[in-house]
Amino acid sequence: MATTYLASTALMGVLVMAVVAWMVRGRGWYQYSPGASTSGRSPAGDRESRFETYADQPMVWVAAFGVLVVGLLIGVVASISGPVETQSIAGLAVAVVGGAGLCGYLLFGVYLSATRRGHPRSLAVAESATVAGVLFLIAISFQLLA
């Protein structure tokens, strides 16, 4: 049993290193800088909302990710140790927050990438809704098969 886990860990490590090497050797992403035509935003004369101002700052994203990781780590530790009631509540909370975070990240990413490519907001919302519908259908299919 331990040999299987070690082999699986080694295989995943090799896979991660291969993906990182492929990304580094791939397109010159470090030289990319978005132009005015790819932003999909209004001219600089218009006022941006507070959310758009914060969304453009990388440190806000780093801080939000750090808070999310620490919160999920605390939830996982609480679901592993402690009384049975705490374990079940913390396990459910971690599953709900993790699932909502993953779906939100995916849907917001689809919306943001669509608007940055110049699509109107209505089309970006439609693309996000399509992705949400496909995820819902996949979830239903897995439930029916299980």
Side-chain angles (χ1 to χ4, degrees):
M1 185 88 164
T3 307
T4 307
Y5 285 130
L6 288 176
S8 173
T9 303
L11 183 64
M12 285 295 129
V14 169
L15 181 64
V16 166
M17 290 188 325
V19 168
V20 168
W22 175 69
M23 288 175 58
V24 168
R25 292 182 181 255
R27 193 176 119 212
W29 56 270
Y30 49 87
Q31 296 173 354
Y32 175 76
S33 65
S37 64
T38 61
S39 69
R41 296 207 173 177
S42 58
D46 294 344
R47 289 181 26 182
E48 290 185 343
S49 70
R50 183 180 301 178
F51 177 75
E52 289 174 341
T53 303
Y54 287 136
D56 285 338
Q57 297 177 0
M59 285 309 295
V60 171
W61 289 101
V62 169
F65 180 75
V67 167
L68 183 65
V69 166
V70 169
L72 287 175
L73 182 65
I74 290 171
V76 167
V77 168
S79 69
I80 292 173
S81 61
V84 176
E85 298 84 16
T86 305
Q87 288 179 353
S88 63
I89 292 173
L92 180 63
V94 167
V96 167
V97 170
L102 181 65
C103 288
Y105 179 76
L106 180 66
L107 298 177
F108 183 68
V110 168
Y111 173 79
L112 197 62
S113 67
T115 55
R116 296 283 166 103
R117 283 181 292 172
H119 294 185
R121 289 185 180 183
S122 58
L123 184 60
V125 169
E127 290 173 351
S128 292
T130 302
V131 169
V134 169
L135 287 176
F136 182 71
L137 288 176
I138 289 172
I140 296 283
S141 299
F142 278 132
Q143 272 191 332
L144 290 174
L145 292 175

